[in-house]
Amino acid sequence: STSTGFSLTVIVLNANHQPIQGATVTLDGGSAQTTDSFGKVYFAGLGLGDHAVDVKSGSFEQSFPLTISTDSPGSQNMFVVI
């Protein structure tokens, strides 16, 4: 069976739940993306298993785990409040 993989949208918010533009989000140590005016970045083609989502904004830097299994929804959303 062939699979196109899973997609992930990461939404970065501040403590008041306002979107943070310009935060850097890296998936599995690969290419970094910068959040837009809605605080969002989008990754496609994720495979099954464990992933690491690194978020950096100013002095904040943290890695968040993400596990994708066969029963995960095809589109994942991760909210990060910093």
Side-chain angles (χ1 to χ4, degrees):
S1 66
T2 59
S3 172
T4 56
F6 295 80
S7 66
L8 170 66
T9 301
V10 181
I11 303 99
V12 182
L13 307 170
N14 66 18
N16 296 320
H17 291 89
Q18 301 298 310
I20 295 180
Q21 185 173 9
T24 301
V25 183
T26 307
L27 176 67
D28 294 334
S31 57
Q33 295 196 40
T34 303
T35 55
D36 62 14
S37 59
F38 300 101
K40 291 184 179 182
V41 295
Y42 177 81
F43 297 95
L46 279 74
L48 294 171
D50 295 327
H51 299 277
V53 179
D54 297 307
V55 179
K56 183 171 173 52
S57 178
S59 60
F60 177 92
E61 187 168 6
Q62 190 170 338
S63 181
F64 300 89
L66 174 70
T67 301
I68 295 179
S69 62
T70 51
D71 56 357
S72 295
S75 298
Q76 306 273 319
N77 288 315
M78 174 183 285
F79 289 90
V80 176
V81 179
I82 68 175

